[in-house]
Amino acid sequence: MLSHTRRYRDSLREDMRRQRLAVSERDEELATASVMQRVLSHPYLKEGRLIGSYVSTRHEIGTRELNRALTLRGHTLALPVISPVEKGIMDFYTFDSESELILNRFAIPEPPPYHEKLVTPPLFEVLLVPLLAFDLKGNRMGMGGGYYDRTLKQLSATCVLIGLAYDFQMVPAIQTEAWDMPLDEVITPSEHYVFSRKYLFSRSRAPASA
C-alpha cells in the first residue's frame, strides 16, 4: 500500500508532466530565452567554472543554446551519461564539441564516455539540474529515477546547485523523502530564487601562475 507521501508525490509528478506537455512551442522558446539570460548573468559565472549541465528533453526548459553559450564564455561543461547496465546511475563527461555527442537509448545526446574526460561530482563548482517541481525552501522533485538524488549527495559543500524551471513548477510545499537534497537556487523565466547563497563564501580561483 502506497504511503500518503508517495501518493502525493506521484500525483504532483503527473500534474507537472501534464502542465509541461501543454506548454506551447512559442512559450517554451520565450521561457528558455529568459532562463538562459538569467543564468548567463549569474554573478558566480563571471569567471570560468567547472559546470555540470544536462541536455533538455520532453518540454523542459531548453539547455542546448545555454550549454553552447557557457562553453563559449570559457566555462568547462560536463554532461551526464546514463549507465546502460546500472539503474539510476549516471556519470559526467566533458567533450570537445557538440559533434561528439551521441544518442543514448532514450534518444538523449551524451558525450562519449572517455575515461580521461570523466568528471566526478565533488569537482563541480556549479551543477544545473532539471526538475518537475520545487518549493520556496529549495526542495526539488525530479522524475523519480533517482539519478540526481545519487549525484547530489556526492557534491562538494561549495558546489552551487541550480534548478531550471518554468514559473508554474513552483508549488507551496513539497513533501520530501529522506534522500532528497535541497537546491541552492532555482531560475525561472521571471524569478531567480536564492535559498543558500554559497558563492558569497566561495573563494575565487587564484590567478594562474606565469
Side-chain angles (χ1 to χ4, degrees):
M1 183 175 180
L2 294 177
S3 68
H4 173 74
T5 298
R6 178 67 181 276
R7 289 196 301 271
Y8 161 82
R9 291 168 69 93
D10 288 348
S11 175
L12 180 57
R13 280 195 178 97
E14 184 60 30
D15 179 52
M16 286 299 168
R17 286 192 186 99
R18 282 197 303 268
Q19 290 194 57
R20 200 168 65 182
L21 286 171
V23 174
S24 69
E25 184 175 339
R26 178 58 176 163
D27 286 344
E28 182 179 333
E29 290 175 355
L30 291 172
T32 290
S34 181
V35 168
M36 176 175 168
Q37 182 180 27
R38 289 177 181 275
V39 172
L40 294 178
S41 63
H42 195 296
Y44 192 56
L45 300 180
K46 290 182 179 179
E47 60 180 86
R49 302 287 178 185
L50 178 53
I51 302 174
S53 187
Y54 62 97
V55 177
S56 55
T57 185
R58 292 186 292 274
H59 294 273
E60 293 173 335
I61 291 290
T63 60
R64 299 187 188 213
E65 288 299 321
L66 172 60
N67 290 339
R68 186 177 298 114
L70 288 170
T71 56
L72 290 174
R73 292 191 177 203
H75 302 287
T76 300
L77 206 70
L79 297 176
V81 173
I82 296 173
S83 170
V85 294
E86 295 183 82
K87 185 178 180 180
I89 299 297
M90 64 183 181
D91 294 308
F92 286 79
Y93 294 84
T94 59
F95 55 99
D96 296 321
S97 71
E98 290 186 340
S99 63
E100 283 189 301
L101 302 182
I102 52 181
L103 296 180
N104 65 14
R105 65 186 185 278
F106 303 112
I108 300 172
E110 296 179 335
Y114 299 136
H115 178 73
E116 66 274 14
K117 302 285 189 178
L118 176 67
V119 178
T120 57
L123 296 176
F124 284 126
E125 295 174 271
V126 177
L127 185 65
L128 302 178
V129 183
L131 55 85
L132 274 176
F134 71 98
D135 67 19
L136 291 179
K137 291 184 178 180
N139 294 313
R140 167 190 176 270
M141 176 176 289
M143 293 292 288
Y147 291 96
Y148 278 92
D149 293 325
R150 293 172 176 85
T151 299
L152 302 188
K153 293 187 186 310
Q154 302 176 58
L155 299 175
S156 74
T158 58
C159 180
V160 181
L161 183 57
I162 304 174
L164 306 181
Y166 293 98
D167 291 299
F168 67 77
Q169 290 177 287
M170 194 272 286
V171 298
I174 290 177
Q175 295 178 19
T176 59
E177 301 278 16
W179 54 81
D180 287 334
M181 296 286 289
L183 302 167
D184 297 310
E185 308 181 14
V186 172
I187 293 176
T188 73
S190 64
E191 297 287 345
H192 182 173
Y193 299 92
V194 180
F195 313 111
S196 174
R197 202 180 296 271
K198 285 181 179 176
Y199 55 89
L200 287 181
F201 309 102
S202 300
R203 294 182 179 180
S204 296
R205 291 181 179 173
S209 58

